[in-house]
Amino acid sequence: MYARARQFVAELSGHPVPERDRAPSPRPPRERRPDEPLLHALLAGKRAAAAERGVTLRLADSRPPARPAVASRDLVTVLGNLIDNAVDAAAAHPAAKPFAEVGMWAEPGATVLSVADNGPGVPTALRTAVFREGWSTKKAPPHRGRGVGLALVDGVARRYGGSVRLTERPGGGAVFTVRLPRNPPVAAGATP
């Protein structure tokens, strides 16, 4: 699984994986980009934090497509916030084996990121509200507010001409799906 995770992150970030760590793939190596450690660190850190809370963070059985034309910091914003929420939901729900799952695949004209969990899910009536800044199911600590993460995810998707959707996971839980165009309009301040 470690080789698959490294390959997933490498393909997401546009960096080659050393041959010794590469899972079998018909794809040629990609040119190196300076931001690979950021995405590797994100998934490694999120996996460790999830494990501390008794949640398994796993990669979906999907082949990552070419990296979307999105700034690395924006990919980290999207995946980081969605993974945090999925881990929170799975940890708070009494499932036998709480998990969060990250996937990425190609669709015509878009790269799709998906983060699912087996937590309690989000009632249909609240599926639009969760993207409003300041809206949260969590109690805010005295030193800062809540309800920022999903608003950021929605903002990043829109800035690139994409979208974010929230659905119910078969078997219970939530699925957040972010579609990012392969050739997005130029986003203000975005540098892939």
Side-chain angles (χ1 to χ4, degrees), residues 110-188:
T111 297
V112 181
L113 306 171
S114 172
V115 177
D117 64 69
N118 64 343
V122 178
T124 306
L126 298 177
R127 290 187 186 161
T128 302
V130 299
F131 296 106
R132 283 196 316 255
E133 188 169 347
W135 192 95
S136 181
T137 60
K138 303 168 193 164
K139 183 178 177 182
H143 63 284
R144 64 182 170 100
R146 289 275 190 190
V148 177
L150 291 177
L152 288 172
V153 169
D154 185 55
V156 167
R158 288 175 189 268
R159 190 168 67 242
Y160 286 98
S163 62
V164 60
R165 183 173 54 122
L166 169 56
T167 57
E168 185 175 340
R169 183 186 153 277
V175 180
F176 286 84
T177 306
V178 179
R179 292 179 50 83
L180 299 169
R182 287 214 191 96
N183 298 309
V186 178

